[in-house]
């Protein structure tokens, strides 16, 4: 399972702690090239939809 899939699953299950914590993790994954800009955008939309 890659970083994107793991994050997507965490968000879908609501198992990410606080929204701010997850946003910080997504920012770090993007900066570290663990996820692409497109994947980041999709995860942000999913996180905002979930909240």
């Amino acid at each position: 399972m890659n970083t994107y899939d793991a994050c997507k699953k965490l968000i879908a299950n609501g198992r990410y702690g606080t929204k701010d914590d997850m946003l910080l993790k997504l920012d770090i994954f993007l900066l570290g090239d663990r996820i692409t800009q497109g994947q980041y955008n999709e995860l942000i939309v999913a996180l905002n939809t979930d909240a």
Side-chain angles (χ1 to χ4, degrees):
M1 179 179 295
N2 62 33
T3 303
Y4 169 75
D5 290 333
C7 289
K8 189 173 180 180
K9 187 174 182 177
L10 285 173
I11 293 169
N13 293 331
R15 299 184 49 93
Y16 50 81
T18 68
K19 184 176 176 181
D20 287 339
D21 287 342
M22 193 64 194
L23 285 170
L24 179 62
K25 290 173 186 165
L26 293 176
D27 289 346
I28 292 169
F29 292 146
L30 178 63
L31 289 172
D33 290 328
R34 298 291 306 263
I35 59 176
T36 66
Q37 183 68 50
Q39 290 170 331
Y40 175 85
N41 293 340
E42 288 179 32
L43 292 169
I44 294 297
V45 168
L47 185 61
N48 288 330
T49 302
D50 186 56

